[in-house]
Amino acid sequence: MDIRSALLELTRKFHQEQTEDSFVPGQTSILTSGAVLDEEDRVAFVEAALDMTIAAGARARTFESRFARAMKARKAHLTNSGSSANLLALSALTSPQLEDARLVPGDEVITVATGFPTTVNPVLQNGLVPVFVDIELGTYNTTLERVEEAIGPRTRAIMVAHALGNPFPAAEIAELASRHGLFLVEDNCDAVGSLYQGRLTGTFGDLSTVSFYPAHHLTMGEGGCVLTGNLALARIVESMRDWGRDCWCEPGEDNRCLRRFDYSFGTLPQGYDHKYVFSHVGYNLKTTDVQAALGLSQLRRLEEFGAARRRNWQRLRDGLQDVPGLLLPEATPGSDPSWFGFVLTVLPDAPFTRAALVSFLEDRKIRTRRLFAGNLTRHPAYEGRNFRVVGELTNSDVTTEATFWIGVYPGITPEMVDYMVASIREFVASAS
C-alpha cells in the first residue's frame, strides 16, 4: 500500500474511532442547525488536502457541473459564501453588457422586510433602492399581491428569499416579473431541494443563490453558489467573481480562445494580454478545491438530508398540533419544502411571552434562533438609508417581537424532537 492510500485508510480508521455521546435530555444541546459529516466527507477532505490544490481546481469545476445538473440549471458558479453569491447575482444585473436592461443607481428592487440582511445588502451596495413589503404569518413569505402593489415606475427587479425553506409563490411572482419586464433573483440559500408546484426552487428566477455554510442543506464549511439558465448572465457572474476579468481561462490556463494577444479593447494597446483585460468592476470571490471536495461528498446525501428535514419538521408539527398560544408554521400551498427550521409565533392572547418560552427552552439546552433580523427596517444598519416601504409592515413587526424557530436539521434524532415537543407542552401547560 502506498503512503497516500495508507493515509486515507488511517483517516477512515480515525473517523470510525470517533464516538458521539448519547443524547441526555436537558444536558445535550439540541442545535438549530449544523453540519452532518460522515466518513466519506472526512476522507474527501483529507484527500483533497493531500493533493495540495489550494485554489479552485478540477474538483470545483466538477462540483459546479454536478450541482447545476442536480438543481436543473445550465450553469453554477461557486463562491466563497452565500452572501457573496447574493452580491454577485444582483451585481450581475448592473453589467454594462446588459445595455438598456441593466440596473442603474436609483432603480428599485422589491424585497421583503423580514429576513436575513444579505438578501437586501447587495441592493444598497449597488446604489439601488430596496422596496420592502410585508409577509404572511404562518408561511413567513410575502404574497403575489404585495409584490404587485409595490411595483413602481423605477422598479427593475425582485429579490426574495424562500423563508426557512418554505417556497414563496415563485411561479406566480416569476410570471409577474416577466409581464413587467423585471429581473427575478431567488435567494435559495435556505431551500435547496424544496419544490413549488413540483418544480425545484431556484429554477424560477433569472438567477438563484445557495449557501454552503454549515447551517445549510449541504456544507463546504464556507461557500456559496450562483445558478442560472441564462448563459449571458452566467458569463457576467463568472467575470465579476473572478476579479472582473474578461478572460474565461481557468486559473493557470492560457489562451483557450487562441486569441490571447489578438484582441482590441477600449483604449488599451492592440493585442493587450487578454488575461489582464477587465470588463467589470469585480472581486475575487472564488472558493477552494478542498471545500469543493467536501461539497462533492455531501452532494450524494442531498435527498437523504431533505428527507430528514421533512421528517423532523412533520414530527414537530404533529406533536404540537393542539398546543394553545402558538401559531404553527404552514407550507405554502402547492409546495413541498425541504425545511430549514420550525418556526413558532407566540399569539397575542397567549398567557406567556416569546421571551419566557425561549428562556425555558434554552435552559433545557434546546437552542433557538429568531426569524433572522425580523423587521430589517428597524435595525441600526438601515437608519438613514434610502428605501421605500409599501403597505404596513405589521407582520414583520410581529416576527420581531413574537417569533423564533427551532431546529429540524438531519443531526436531530426522533428522541430529540420528542424532547422538544414535551418541553414546549410542559411550559405552555404550566403557563396556562
Side-chain angles (χ1 to χ4, degrees):
M1 182 182 294
D2 60 30
I3 294 176
R4 179 190 179 90
S5 297
L7 285 170
L8 295 178
E9 184 60 30
L10 284 171
T11 299
R12 290 188 183 280
K13 290 181 178 178
F14 175 81
H15 183 91
Q16 292 162 9
E17 289 174 358
Q18 307 306 302
T19 58
E20 291 186 8
D21 295 332
S22 59
F23 174 64
V24 179
Q27 296 183 30
T28 306
S29 288
I30 303 176
L31 304 179
T32 53
S33 59
V36 177
L37 304 169
D38 66 9
E39 180 179 321
E40 297 305 319
D41 295 325
R42 192 184 294 270
V43 171
F45 203 71
V46 170
E47 186 173 27
L50 290 175
D51 286 344
M52 290 292 285
T53 308
I54 58 176
R59 289 180 178 86
R61 293 190 292 275
T62 299
F63 181 88
E64 287 173 335
S65 175
R66 292 183 185 176
F67 192 61
R69 193 179 311 122
M71 294 293 101
K72 311 299 183 185
R74 295 183 72 182
K75 286 289 185 178
H77 287 97
L78 279 173
T79 68
N80 58 358
S81 72
S83 302
S84 293
N86 279 347
L87 176 61
L88 281 171
L90 195 65
S91 297
L93 303 181
T94 71
S95 170
Q97 293 181 7
L98 297 179
E99 299 179 340
D100 291 344
R102 68 181 292 204
L103 275 60
V104 298
D107 283 345
E108 294 182 344
V109 180
I110 297 170
T111 189
V112 297
T114 298
F116 203 73
T118 54
T119 310
V120 174
N121 291 349
V123 180
L124 295 167
Q125 288 163 322
N126 279 285
L128 307 167
V129 179
V131 178
F132 290 109
V133 296
D134 205 5
I135 60 166
E136 288 287 286
L137 297 177
T139 67
Y140 301 94
N141 283 300
T142 193
T143 61
L144 174 68
E145 293 73 22
R146 287 187 174 96
V147 174
E148 188 165 22
E149 183 185 359
I151 296 174
R154 292 216 62 176
T155 304
R156 301 297 308 283
I158 302 164
M159 186 169 182
V160 180
H162 298 286
L164 289 180
N166 196 17
F168 62 77
E172 295 85 347
I173 289 178
E175 190 281 327
L176 176 70
S178 176
R179 183 158 28 99
H180 287 270
L182 310 177
F183 290 109
L184 173 61
V185 179
E186 289 179 77
D187 182 335
N188 202 40
C189 291
D190 292 348
V192 172
S194 292
L195 300 170
Y196 184 70
Q197 296 182 359
R199 180 172 161 186
L200 284 169
T201 55
T203 63
F204 294 88
D206 297 282
L207 295 149
S208 68
T209 60
V210 169
S211 172
F212 299 119
Y213 189 70
H216 290 281
H217 289 60
L218 303 175
T219 188
M220 295 183 180
E222 298 282 356
C225 197
V226 182
L227 300 106
T228 183
N230 184 313
L231 295 182
L233 287 176
R235 178 69 192 97
I236 293 167
V237 168
E238 182 179 36
S239 172
M240 288 187 165
R241 180 198 66 176
D242 297 2
W243 304 281
R245 65 179 187 163
D246 196 77
C247 176
W248 54 86
C249 288
E250 296 292 340
E253 180 183 46
D254 293 338
N255 206 23
R256 184 191 297 184
C257 65
L258 304 179
R259 294 186 58 197
R260 177 179 170 189
F261 301 108
D262 193 35
Y263 289 105
S264 177
F265 291 95
T267 62
L268 290 170
Q270 171 65 30
Y272 197 84
D273 189 346
H274 192 218
K275 288 182 72 69
Y276 292 98
V277 173
F278 298 90
S279 53
H280 292 98
V281 176
Y283 316 88
N284 178 7
L285 300 177
K286 298 189 300 299
T287 188
T288 68
D289 238 38
V290 175
Q291 290 170 279
L294 180 55
L296 279 168
S297 181
Q298 286 264 294
L299 186 54
R300 69 195 156 83
R301 303 182 71 186
L302 180 58
E303 290 190 11
E304 171 196 342
F305 287 163
R309 288 175 176 276
R310 290 175 169 94
R311 188 166 56 246
N312 286 340
W313 188 92
Q314 193 61 55
R315 194 178 184 100
L316 280 167
R317 189 67 171 71
D318 293 344
L320 297 173
Q321 178 62 44
D322 58 351
V323 175
L326 293 175
L327 177 66
L328 300 186
E330 296 285 352
T332 301
S335 74
D336 178 14
S338 181
W339 294 97
F340 188 70
F342 189 89
V343 63
L344 293 162
T345 296
V346 176
L347 295 171
D349 59 354
F352 54 88
T353 65
R354 177 206 53 80
L357 174 53
V358 163
S359 178
F360 180 85
L361 295 177
E362 293 281 350
D363 285 345
R364 291 192 164 206
K365 304 297 184 181
I366 299 169
R367 301 307 179 209
T368 66
R369 293 290 185 268
R370 304 303 295 268
L371 188 52
F372 305 127
N375 185 345
L376 278 162
T377 68
R378 296 172 61 176
H379 285 258
Y382 304 99
E383 290 178 3
R385 299 284 187 172
N386 184 22
F387 61 80
R388 187 162 65 89
V389 174
V390 175
E392 299 294 327
L393 299 180
T394 304
N395 292 335
S396 297
D397 284 332
V398 169
T399 67
T400 309
E401 305 293 341
T403 300
F404 70 98
W405 59 275
I406 54 180
V408 299
Y409 82 105
I412 291 177
T413 65
E415 186 181 10
M416 292 174 179
V417 173
D418 292 345
Y419 179 65
M420 289 191 283
V421 168
S423 296
I424 292 171
R425 284 186 165 277
E426 179 182 332
F427 172 83
V428 172
S430 67
S432 299

PDB file of all heavy atoms in Angstrom, residues 166-194:
ATOM      1  N   ASN A 166     -39.291  27.298   3.079  1.00  0.00           N
ATOM      2  CA  ASN A 166     -40.679  27.314   2.613  1.00  0.00           C
ATOM      3  C   ASN A 166     -40.773  28.204   1.371  1.00  0.00           C
ATOM      4  O   ASN A 166     -40.504  29.398   1.461  1.00  0.00           O
ATOM      5  CB  ASN A 166     -41.582  27.845   3.731  1.00  0.00           C
ATOM      6  CG  ASN A 166     -43.041  27.541   3.482  1.00  0.00           C
ATOM      7  OD1 ASN A 166     -43.398  26.697   2.668  1.00  0.00           O
ATOM      8  ND2 ASN A 166     -43.911  28.241   4.197  1.00  0.00           N
ATOM      9  N   PRO A 167     -41.135  27.674   0.209  1.00  0.00           N
ATOM     10  CA  PRO A 167     -41.119  28.478  -1.007  1.00  0.00           C
ATOM     11  C   PRO A 167     -42.116  29.637  -0.968  1.00  0.00           C
ATOM     12  O   PRO A 167     -43.251  29.488  -0.498  1.00  0.00           O
ATOM     13  CB  PRO A 167     -41.514  27.485  -2.099  1.00  0.00           C
ATOM     14  CG  PRO A 167     -41.165  26.145  -1.536  1.00  0.00           C
ATOM     15  CD  PRO A 167     -41.446  26.260  -0.059  1.00  0.00           C
ATOM     16  N   PHE A 168     -41.693  30.779  -1.465  1.00  0.00           N
ATOM     17  CA  PHE A 168     -42.662  31.834  -1.766  1.00  0.00           C
ATOM     18  C   PHE A 168     -43.375  31.448  -3.063  1.00  0.00           C
ATOM     19  O   PHE A 168     -42.933  30.515  -3.765  1.00  0.00           O
ATOM     20  CB  PHE A 168     -41.988  33.205  -1.848  1.00  0.00           C
ATOM     21  CG  PHE A 168     -40.948  33.397  -2.915  1.00  0.00           C
ATOM     22  CD1 PHE A 168     -41.308  33.602  -4.240  1.00  0.00           C
ATOM     23  CD2 PHE A 168     -39.591  33.399  -2.604  1.00  0.00           C
ATOM     24  CE1 PHE A 168     -40.356  33.803  -5.231  1.00  0.00           C
ATOM     25  CE2 PHE A 168     -38.624  33.592  -3.580  1.00  0.00           C
ATOM     26  CZ  PHE A 168     -39.006  33.789  -4.903  1.00  0.00           C
ATOM     27  N   PRO A 169     -44.478  32.092  -3.427  1.00  0.00           N
ATOM     28  CA  PRO A 169     -45.200  31.709  -4.652  1.00  0.00           C
ATOM     29  C   PRO A 169     -44.383  32.045  -5.897  1.00  0.00           C
ATOM     30  O   PRO A 169     -44.631  33.016  -6.606  1.00  0.00           O
ATOM     31  CB  PRO A 169     -46.502  32.511  -4.569  1.00  0.00           C
ATOM     32  CG  PRO A 169     -46.203  33.655  -3.669  1.00  0.00           C
ATOM     33  CD  PRO A 169     -45.186  33.160  -2.690  1.00  0.00           C
ATOM     34  N   ALA A 170     -43.386  31.213  -6.164  1.00  0.00           N
ATOM     35  CA  ALA A 170     -42.357  31.546  -7.146  1.00  0.00           C
ATOM     36  C   ALA A 170     -42.893  31.580  -8.571  1.00  0.00           C
ATOM     37  O   ALA A 170     -42.486  32.439  -9.367  1.00  0.00           O
ATOM     38  CB  ALA A 170     -41.207  30.542  -7.033  1.00  0.00           C
ATOM     39  N   ALA A 171     -43.774  30.656  -8.930  1.00  0.00           N
ATOM     40  CA  ALA A 171     -44.289  30.630 -10.300  1.00  0.00           C
ATOM     41  C   ALA A 171     -45.077  31.901 -10.602  1.00  0.00           C
ATOM     42  O   ALA A 171     -44.907  32.518 -11.665  1.00  0.00           O
ATOM     43  CB  ALA A 171     -45.156  29.397 -10.506  1.00  0.00           C
ATOM     44  N   GLU A 172     -45.924  32.290  -9.655  1.00  0.00           N
ATOM     45  CA  GLU A 172     -46.751  33.487  -9.870  1.00  0.00           C
ATOM     46  C   GLU A 172     -45.900  34.757  -9.888  1.00  0.00           C
ATOM     47  O   GLU A 172     -46.121  35.660 -10.709  1.00  0.00           O
ATOM     48  CB  GLU A 172     -47.807  33.580  -8.768  1.00  0.00           C
ATOM     49  CG  GLU A 172     -48.836  32.450  -8.779  1.00  0.00           C
ATOM     50  CD  GLU A 172     -48.391  31.198  -8.028  1.00  0.00           C
ATOM     51  OE1 GLU A 172     -47.194  31.090  -7.705  1.00  0.00           O
ATOM     52  OE2 GLU A 172     -49.241  30.330  -7.792  1.00  0.00           O
ATOM     53  N   ILE A 173     -44.920  34.835  -9.010  1.00  0.00           N
ATOM     54  CA  ILE A 173     -44.067  36.028  -8.967  1.00  0.00           C
ATOM     55  C   ILE A 173     -43.156  36.065 -10.189  1.00  0.00           C
ATOM     56  O   ILE A 173     -42.875  37.142 -10.733  1.00  0.00           O
ATOM     57  CB  ILE A 173     -43.288  36.083  -7.649  1.00  0.00           C
ATOM     58  CG1 ILE A 173     -44.273  36.418  -6.508  1.00  0.00           C
ATOM     59  CG2 ILE A 173     -42.169  37.109  -7.695  1.00  0.00           C
ATOM     60  CD1 ILE A 173     -43.659  36.465  -5.126  1.00  0.00           C
ATOM     61  N   ALA A 174     -42.713  34.907 -10.674  1.00  0.00           N
ATOM     62  CA  ALA A 174     -41.915  34.872 -11.897  1.00  0.00           C
ATOM     63  C   ALA A 174     -42.730  35.352 -13.090  1.00  0.00           C
ATOM     64  O   ALA A 174     -42.231  36.098 -13.954  1.00  0.00           O
ATOM     65  CB  ALA A 174     -41.392  33.461 -12.149  1.00  0.00           C
ATOM     66  N   GLU A 175     -43.989  34.950 -13.140  1.00  0.00           N
ATOM     67  CA  GLU A 175     -44.855  35.401 -14.233  1.00  0.00           C
ATOM     68  C   GLU A 175     -45.094  36.899 -14.153  1.00  0.00           C
ATOM     69  O   GLU A 175     -45.089  37.606 -15.177  1.00  0.00           O
ATOM     70  CB  GLU A 175     -46.187  34.641 -14.181  1.00  0.00           C
ATOM     71  CG  GLU A 175     -47.083  34.822 -15.382  1.00  0.00           C
ATOM     72  CD  GLU A 175     -47.872  36.130 -15.387  1.00  0.00           C
ATOM     73  OE1 GLU A 175     -48.227  36.593 -14.281  1.00  0.00           O
ATOM     74  OE2 GLU A 175     -48.134  36.683 -16.484  1.00  0.00           O
ATOM     75  N   LEU A 176     -45.292  37.404 -12.925  1.00  0.00           N
ATOM     76  CA  LEU A 176     -45.459  38.848 -12.723  1.00  0.00           C
ATOM     77  C   LEU A 176     -44.212  39.590 -13.178  1.00  0.00           C
ATOM     78  O   LEU A 176     -44.302  40.622 -13.860  1.00  0.00           O
ATOM     79  CB  LEU A 176     -45.722  39.123 -11.235  1.00  0.00           C
ATOM     80  CG  LEU A 176     -45.828  40.585 -10.817  1.00  0.00           C
ATOM     81  CD1 LEU A 176     -47.121  41.205 -11.352  1.00  0.00           C
ATOM     82  CD2 LEU A 176     -45.766  40.706  -9.295  1.00  0.00           C
ATOM     83  N   ALA A 177     -43.045  39.085 -12.810  1.00  0.00           N
ATOM     84  CA  ALA A 177     -41.800  39.729 -13.210  1.00  0.00           C
ATOM     85  C   ALA A 177     -41.672  39.756 -14.727  1.00  0.00           C
ATOM     86  O   ALA A 177     -41.289  40.790 -15.311  1.00  0.00           O
ATOM     87  CB  ALA A 177     -40.620  38.983 -12.586  1.00  0.00           C
ATOM     88  N   SER A 178     -41.983  38.646 -15.374  1.00  0.00           N
ATOM     89  CA  SER A 178     -41.896  38.584 -16.833  1.00  0.00           C
ATOM     90  C   SER A 178     -42.847  39.583 -17.486  1.00  0.00           C
ATOM     91  O   SER A 178     -42.480  40.286 -18.440  1.00  0.00           O
ATOM     92  CB  SER A 178     -42.207  37.165 -17.303  1.00  0.00           C
ATOM     93  OG  SER A 178     -42.213  37.088 -18.704  1.00  0.00           O
ATOM     94  N   ARG A 179     -44.055  39.672 -16.934  1.00  0.00           N
ATOM     95  CA  ARG A 179     -45.060  40.577 -17.505  1.00  0.00           C
ATOM     96  C   ARG A 179     -44.640  42.029 -17.419  1.00  0.00           C
ATOM     97  O   ARG A 179     -44.958  42.842 -18.290  1.00  0.00           O
ATOM     98  CB  ARG A 179     -46.385  40.328 -16.776  1.00  0.00           C
ATOM     99  CG  ARG A 179     -47.565  41.126 -17.291  1.00  0.00           C
ATOM    100  CD  ARG A 179     -48.901  40.484 -16.929  1.00  0.00           C
ATOM    101  NE  ARG A 179     -48.895  39.690 -15.719  1.00  0.00           N
ATOM    102  CZ  ARG A 179     -49.326  40.129 -14.539  1.00  0.00           C
ATOM    103  NH1 ARG A 179     -49.741  41.382 -14.404  1.00  0.00           N
ATOM    104  NH2 ARG A 179     -49.325  39.322 -13.493  1.00  0.00           N
ATOM    105  N   HIS A 180     -43.895  42.382 -16.359  1.00  0.00           N
ATOM    106  CA  HIS A 180     -43.474  43.771 -16.158  1.00  0.00           C
ATOM    107  C   HIS A 180     -42.021  44.015 -16.580  1.00  0.00           C
ATOM    108  O   HIS A 180     -41.501  45.106 -16.356  1.00  0.00           O
ATOM    109  CB  HIS A 180     -43.651  44.152 -14.682  1.00  0.00           C
ATOM    110  CG  HIS A 180     -45.086  44.335 -14.280  1.00  0.00           C
ATOM    111  ND1 HIS A 180     -45.744  45.545 -14.365  1.00  0.00           N
ATOM    112  CD2 HIS A 180     -45.994  43.444 -13.793  1.00  0.00           C
ATOM    113  CE1 HIS A 180     -46.987  45.401 -13.940  1.00  0.00           C
ATOM    114  NE2 HIS A 180     -47.166  44.143 -13.588  1.00  0.00           N
ATOM    115  N   GLY A 181     -41.383  43.028 -17.171  1.00  0.00           N
ATOM    116  CA  GLY A 181     -40.010  43.204 -17.611  1.00  0.00           C
ATOM    117  C   GLY A 181     -39.018  43.358 -16.470  1.00  0.00           C
ATOM    118  O   GLY A 181     -38.037  44.102 -16.589  1.00  0.00           O
ATOM    119  N   LEU A 182     -39.253  42.635 -15.370  1.00  0.00           N
ATOM    120  CA  LEU A 182     -38.387  42.728 -14.200  1.00  0.00           C
ATOM    121  C   LEU A 182     -37.512  41.481 -14.092  1.00  0.00           C
ATOM    122  O   LEU A 182     -37.918  40.380 -14.448  1.00  0.00           O
ATOM    123  CB  LEU A 182     -39.223  42.848 -12.918  1.00  0.00           C
ATOM    124  CG  LEU A 182     -40.322  43.913 -12.892  1.00  0.00           C
ATOM    125  CD1 LEU A 182     -41.089  43.828 -11.578  1.00  0.00           C
ATOM    126  CD2 LEU A 182     -39.731  45.299 -13.087  1.00  0.00           C
ATOM    127  N   PHE A 183     -36.308  41.652 -13.561  1.00  0.00           N
ATOM    128  CA  PHE A 183     -35.477  40.511 -13.200  1.00  0.00           C
ATOM    129  C   PHE A 183     -35.999  39.906 -11.892  1.00  0.00           C
ATOM    130  O   PHE A 183     -36.511  40.619 -11.025  1.00  0.00           O
ATOM    131  CB  PHE A 183     -34.025  40.933 -12.987  1.00  0.00           C
ATOM    132  CG  PHE A 183     -33.308  41.337 -14.256  1.00  0.00           C
ATOM    133  CD1 PHE A 183     -32.977  42.668 -14.485  1.00  0.00           C
ATOM    134  CD2 PHE A 183     -32.956  40.384 -15.202  1.00  0.00           C
ATOM    135  CE1 PHE A 183     -32.306  43.042 -15.639  1.00  0.00           C
ATOM    136  CE2 PHE A 183     -32.291  40.751 -16.366  1.00  0.00           C
ATOM    137  CZ  PHE A 183     -31.953  42.084 -16.584  1.00  0.00           C
ATOM    138  N   LEU A 184     -35.826  38.578 -11.754  1.00  0.00           N
ATOM    139  CA  LEU A 184     -36.157  37.900 -10.508  1.00  0.00           C
ATOM    140  C   LEU A 184     -34.931  37.136 -10.026  1.00  0.00           C
ATOM    141  O   LEU A 184     -34.371  36.309 -10.766  1.00  0.00           O
ATOM    142  CB  LEU A 184     -37.322  36.931 -10.707  1.00  0.00           C
ATOM    143  CG  LEU A 184     -37.663  36.023  -9.507  1.00  0.00           C
ATOM    144  CD1 LEU A 184     -38.053  36.841  -8.280  1.00  0.00           C
ATOM    145  CD2 LEU A 184     -38.774  35.036  -9.867  1.00  0.00           C
ATOM    146  N   VAL A 185     -34.507  37.414  -8.791  1.00  0.00           N
ATOM    147  CA  VAL A 185     -33.415  36.687  -8.148  1.00  0.00           C
ATOM    148  C   VAL A 185     -34.007  35.913  -6.975  1.00  0.00           C
ATOM    149  O   VAL A 185     -34.619  36.501  -6.079  1.00  0.00           O
ATOM    150  CB  VAL A 185     -32.304  37.630  -7.656  1.00  0.00           C
ATOM    151  CG1 VAL A 185     -31.201  36.830  -6.964  1.00  0.00           C
ATOM    152  CG2 VAL A 185     -31.736  38.454  -8.807  1.00  0.00           C
ATOM    153  N   GLU A 186     -33.816  34.599  -6.982  1.00  0.00           N
ATOM    154  CA  GLU A 186     -34.266  33.748  -5.881  1.00  0.00           C
ATOM    155  C   GLU A 186     -33.112  33.506  -4.916  1.00  0.00           C
ATOM    156  O   GLU A 186     -32.115  32.891  -5.293  1.00  0.00           O
ATOM    157  CB  GLU A 186     -34.745  32.393  -6.395  1.00  0.00           C
ATOM    158  CG  GLU A 186     -36.031  32.391  -7.158  1.00  0.00           C
ATOM    159  CD  GLU A 186     -36.363  30.973  -7.621  1.00  0.00           C
ATOM    160  OE1 GLU A 186     -36.818  30.160  -6.795  1.00  0.00           O
ATOM    161  OE2 GLU A 186     -36.123  30.671  -8.814  1.00  0.00           O
ATOM    162  N   ASP A 187     -33.245  33.975  -3.697  1.00  0.00           N
ATOM    163  CA  ASP A 187     -32.311  33.593  -2.642  1.00  0.00           C
ATOM    164  C   ASP A 187     -32.775  32.233  -2.144  1.00  0.00           C
ATOM    165  O   ASP A 187     -33.727  32.129  -1.367  1.00  0.00           O
ATOM    166  CB  ASP A 187     -32.320  34.646  -1.534  1.00  0.00           C
ATOM    167  CG  ASP A 187     -31.329  34.336  -0.416  1.00  0.00           C
ATOM    168  OD1 ASP A 187     -30.998  33.155  -0.237  1.00  0.00           O
ATOM    169  OD2 ASP A 187     -30.918  35.273   0.301  1.00  0.00           O
ATOM    170  N   ASN A 188     -32.089  31.199  -2.613  1.00  0.00           N
ATOM    171  CA  ASN A 188     -32.466  29.814  -2.324  1.00  0.00           C
ATOM    172  C   ASN A 188     -31.578  29.196  -1.251  1.00  0.00           C
ATOM    173  O   ASN A 188     -31.517  27.979  -1.101  1.00  0.00           O
ATOM    174  CB  ASN A 188     -32.365  28.995  -3.627  1.00  0.00           C
ATOM    175  CG  ASN A 188     -33.205  27.724  -3.591  1.00  0.00           C
ATOM    176  OD1 ASN A 188     -34.326  27.719  -3.091  1.00  0.00           O
ATOM    177  ND2 ASN A 188     -32.654  26.653  -4.132  1.00  0.00           N
ATOM    178  N   CYS A 189     -30.904  30.062  -0.470  1.00  0.00           N
ATOM    179  CA  CYS A 189     -29.906  29.569   0.478  1.00  0.00           C
ATOM    180  C   CYS A 189     -30.485  28.641   1.535  1.00  0.00           C
ATOM    181  O   CYS A 189     -29.808  27.722   1.999  1.00  0.00           O
ATOM    182  CB  CYS A 189     -29.195  30.753   1.146  1.00  0.00           C
ATOM    183  SG  CYS A 189     -28.123  31.685   0.016  1.00  0.00           S
ATOM    184  N   ASP A 190     -31.728  28.868   1.929  1.00  0.00           N
ATOM    185  CA  ASP A 190     -32.356  28.049   2.969  1.00  0.00           C
ATOM    186  C   ASP A 190     -33.264  26.962   2.404  1.00  0.00           C
ATOM    187  O   ASP A 190     -33.951  26.285   3.172  1.00  0.00           O
ATOM    188  CB  ASP A 190     -33.195  28.932   3.903  1.00  0.00           C
ATOM    189  CG  ASP A 190     -32.366  29.866   4.749  1.00  0.00           C
ATOM    190  OD1 ASP A 190     -31.137  29.691   4.790  1.00  0.00           O
ATOM    191  OD2 ASP A 190     -32.944  30.784   5.358  1.00  0.00           O
ATOM    192  N   ALA A 191     -33.290  26.793   1.079  1.00  0.00           N
ATOM    193  CA  ALA A 191     -34.363  25.988   0.491  1.00  0.00           C
ATOM    194  C   ALA A 191     -33.889  24.991  -0.556  1.00  0.00           C
ATOM    195  O   ALA A 191     -34.688  24.556  -1.393  1.00  0.00           O
ATOM    196  CB  ALA A 191     -35.415  26.916  -0.113  1.00  0.00           C
ATOM    197  N   VAL A 192     -32.634  24.592  -0.530  1.00  0.00           N
ATOM    198  CA  VAL A 192     -32.146  23.647  -1.535  1.00  0.00           C
ATOM    199  C   VAL A 192     -32.948  22.343  -1.458  1.00  0.00           C
ATOM    200  O   VAL A 192     -33.051  21.739  -0.394  1.00  0.00           O
ATOM    201  CB  VAL A 192     -30.646  23.379  -1.341  1.00  0.00           C
ATOM    202  CG1 VAL A 192     -30.178  22.247  -2.249  1.00  0.00           C
ATOM    203  CG2 VAL A 192     -29.845  24.641  -1.624  1.00  0.00           C
ATOM    204  N   GLY A 193     -33.519  21.948  -2.570  1.00  0.00           N
ATOM    205  CA  GLY A 193     -34.321  20.732  -2.597  1.00  0.00           C
ATOM    206  C   GLY A 193     -35.804  20.958  -2.371  1.00  0.00           C
ATOM    207  O   GLY A 193     -36.594  20.012  -2.490  1.00  0.00           O
ATOM    208  N   SER A 194     -36.208  22.187  -2.046  1.00  0.00           N
ATOM    209  CA  SER A 194     -37.635  22.483  -1.894  1.00  0.00           C
ATOM    210  C   SER A 194     -38.304  22.514  -3.266  1.00  0.00           C
ATOM    211  O   SER A 194     -37.670  22.842  -4.284  1.00  0.00           O
ATOM    212  CB  SER A 194     -37.833  23.837  -1.202  1.00  0.00           C
ATOM    213  OG  SER A 194     -37.410  23.791   0.143  1.00  0.00           O
TER     214      SER A 194
END
